[in-house]
Amino acid sequence: MSVTTVPIRPIKKGSLTKLWIGLALVLVVAAALAFVGTQDAVTTGASNEQFLENNADEDGVITTASGLQYKVLKPGEGPSPTATDTALVKYKGTTRDGNVFDENEQTPMPVGGVVPGFSEALQLMQKGGEYRIWIPSELGYGEQSPGPELPANSVLIFDVTLLDFISAEQMQALQQQMQQ
């Protein structure tokens, strides 16, 4: 009986180290891709509560007692408007998946005459301030859908700039001047 031997070539010096480095690199890339995929799932696939909980942990995001979340992108100066004032704002409203449902470059709006979350956010701002706000559905439109582009129970995300505001008394004076 004969034994056939097959010579095995020795591996080159450093090849094992290169193999381990390559394996470590593959694991790091896989972990990064998993993290990015998880973040996307949290943004689009998670419930509103999970999305807002995750968002609250982001740098600079402040959550009020009502559940409104905001981040100051650029601080403003001076006093803040009250619920009876009329604000001149620039805004862009999106859903969690990034679809724009409303946008305006410059529009007056009564601070107390908008959804509760938007009203609360305006009262936190000062003239010239830019905020990003996240309005939970219960502070927005709730179970009602204002249109096909905005489903019921949606978290509303706005980028808002408070351009200016005037008091109710100033607004009445302007209206009287226009009538004369």
Side-chain angles (χ1 to χ4, degrees):
M1 182 171 216
S2 71
V3 176
T4 308
T5 59
V6 178
I8 299 176
R9 294 184 188 169
I11 60 173
K12 292 182 181 177
K13 192 173 187 177
S15 294
L16 198 54
T17 304
K18 289 178 186 174
L19 177 69
W20 284 110
I21 290 173
L23 185 60
L25 186 61
V26 167
L27 289 175
V28 167
V29 169
L33 289 172
F35 178 77
V36 169
T38 303
Q39 287 301 101
D40 185 47
V42 168
T43 302
T44 57
S47 70
N48 286 344
E49 292 78 19
Q50 291 169 327
F51 171 80
L52 291 169
E53 284 176 21
N54 184 54
N55 191 58
D57 294 335
E58 296 292 322
D59 285 340
V61 174
I62 300 167
T63 304
T64 66
S66 69
L68 173 76
Q69 294 180 349
Y70 68 95
K71 181 177 184 174
V72 178
L73 304 176
K74 177 184 164 194
E77 296 179 359
S80 297
T82 64
T84 59
D85 293 341
T86 299
L88 184 63
V89 297
K90 172 185 175 182
Y91 68 90
K92 178 179 178 181
T94 60
T95 55
R96 285 177 32 195
D97 60 5
N99 290 330
V100 177
F101 64 86
D102 197 6
E103 185 172 16
N104 205 315
E105 286 295 314
Q106 186 175 350
T107 187
M109 57 179 56
V111 175
V114 292
V115 295
F118 202 91
S119 177
E120 180 182 350
L122 287 174
Q123 293 176 64
L124 296 170
M125 300 177 74
Q126 294 85 27
K127 190 187 307 185
E130 295 178 18
Y131 283 37
R132 178 163 295 138
I133 58 175
W134 294 267
I135 302 174
S137 64
E138 56 273 6
L139 296 176
Y141 294 106
E143 295 181 6
Q144 298 176 349
S145 173
E149 68 281 347
L150 190 62
N153 296 313
S154 292
V155 172
L156 310 177
I157 304 169
F158 285 96
D159 286 332
V160 182
T161 303
L162 179 60
L163 303 171
D164 201 358
F165 66 92
I166 60 173
S167 68
E169 295 80 26
Q170 291 172 314
M171 181 60 97
Q172 285 178 339
L174 285 173
Q175 288 173 344
Q176 288 175 353
Q177 284 178 351
M178 289 174 67
Q179 289 176 353
Q180 295 174 353

